[in-house]
Amino acid sequence: DAGVTQSPTHLIKTRGQQVTLRCSPKSGHDTVSWYQQALGQGPQFIFQYYEEEERQRGNFPDRFSGHQFPNYSSELNVNALLLGDSALYLCASWGFAGRTSGNTIYFGEGSWLTVV
Amino acid sequence: GESVGLHLPTLSVQEGDNSIINCAYSNSASDYFIWYKQESGKGPQFIIDIRSNMDKRQGQRVTVLLNKTVKHLSLQIAATQPGDSAVYFCAENTLNTGNQFYFGTGTSLTVIP
């Protein structure tokens, strides 16, 4: 049973460029959340997708957008990259009914983004 | 606003000793808490969770204690091993915030052989 998988694992982009990160949730999970983790900090919530719609959003600008596909996988897009966007981007998944059924949220290994 | 904090940013323990990592939260409505372990260069790994209707939950070598009165959470690791060296995060979730988790800044645990 594969866990949460993310790609790419590492990438370098130039300021002003655009980036797309991908995530496949854990088998049986239908909800995907994205987090940004700056060096030395805890993860910060970006947004969450369920039923192919953005359900909740953290305090991130519109440059950050996402998408969820019918197979529950998800993409995170960041436009007009800034140096400050350099971070580990984490995808997390769980079953929407998880909070009442005892399932928990699982993270992938993340995608390291460096903006130069 | 939400606030999840850790009392000690770093913790060093001797191999074989017990470790206690603390976490405070400010939202009395928080009803679900998770402890994560993050090794260098890796994503957070789930350790143990606890819901607000519980005071204590035990796993393999780990115990989480929840004190709702003082809004405090702790992670106890028994017989700490070198492989336990990592950054530990507590995360909290509140039903009225949906599935958004709030993380503290983490405690770095170093196990001394």
Side-chain angles (χ1 to χ4, degrees):
Chain A
D1 176 22
V4 180
T5 58
Q6 293 185 242
S7 65
T9 55
H10 295 81
L11 70 166
I12 300 173
K13 289 288 188 178
T14 303
R15 188 172 48 185
Q17 285 188 315
Q18 179 264 346
V19 68
T20 298
L21 308 177
R22 296 176 177 81
C23 172
S24 292
K26 180 178 171 63
S27 178
H29 288 181
D30 56 9
T31 303
V32 173
S33 299
W34 287 92
Y35 286 78
Q36 180 195 66
Q37 185 176 21
L39 196 63
Q41 300 294 320
Q44 298 293 316
F45 177 79
I46 302 175
F47 44 53
Q48 175 191 281
Y49 278 83
Y50 171 66
E51 291 185 334
E52 302 179 47
E53 290 187 12
E54 182 181 301
R55 299 291 179 169
Q56 197 172 7
R57 189 178 185 92
N59 188 25
F60 279 81
D62 292 342
R63 298 187 297 109
F64 290 77
S65 63
H67 188 77
Q68 185 179 35
F69 299 94
N71 66 353
Y72 309 125
S73 66
S74 177
E75 289 182 349
L76 164 66
N77 301 292
V78 186
N79 296 320
L81 284 167
L82 304 174
L83 297 179
D85 294 330
S86 296
L88 175 66
Y89 288 85
L90 295 162
C91 174
S93 76
W94 67 357
F96 192 74
R99 296 195 71 246
T100 57
S101 67
N103 295 331
T104 191
I105 184 169
Y106 290 93
F107 283 86
E109 294 296 339
S111 294
W112 289 94
L113 171 64
T114 301
V115 182
V116 297
Chain B
E2 297 287 348
S3 173
V4 178
L6 293 160
H7 293 308
L8 295 173
T10 62
L11 177 66
S12 295
V13 298
Q14 291 287 337
E15 181 179 357
D17 288 351
N18 295 334
S19 302
I20 299 177
I21 301 172
N22 297 305
C23 179
Y25 62 96
S26 61
N27 188 348
S28 57
S30 296
D31 61 355
Y32 182 50
F33 304 87
I34 304 179
W35 279 101
Y36 285 96
K37 171 186 179 183
Q38 188 172 26
E39 298 176 38
S40 180
K42 296 187 177 182
Q45 177 186 0
F46 171 87
I47 301 174
I48 192 168
D49 61 354
I50 188 168
R51 300 185 186 275
S52 59
N53 59 354
M54 303 172 67
D55 296 324
K56 178 180 180 179
R57 193 171 188 206
Q58 289 184 295
Q60 187 176 12
R61 283 201 306 117
V62 295
T63 300
V64 55
L65 299 177
L66 174 62
N67 186 330
K68 295 180 287 294
T69 301
V70 295
K71 297 195 285 290
H72 182 268
L73 193 70
S74 69
L75 175 70
Q76 301 178 2
I77 305 174
T80 313
Q81 302 169 0
D84 294 327
S85 294
V87 176
Y88 289 80
F89 293 96
C90 65
E92 62 95 5
N93 178 254
T94 308
L95 183 62
N96 63 5
T97 64
N99 294 331
Q100 179 175 353
F101 279 81
Y102 294 91
F103 284 78
T105 55
T107 292
S108 177
L109 173 66
T110 300
V111 180
I112 304 168

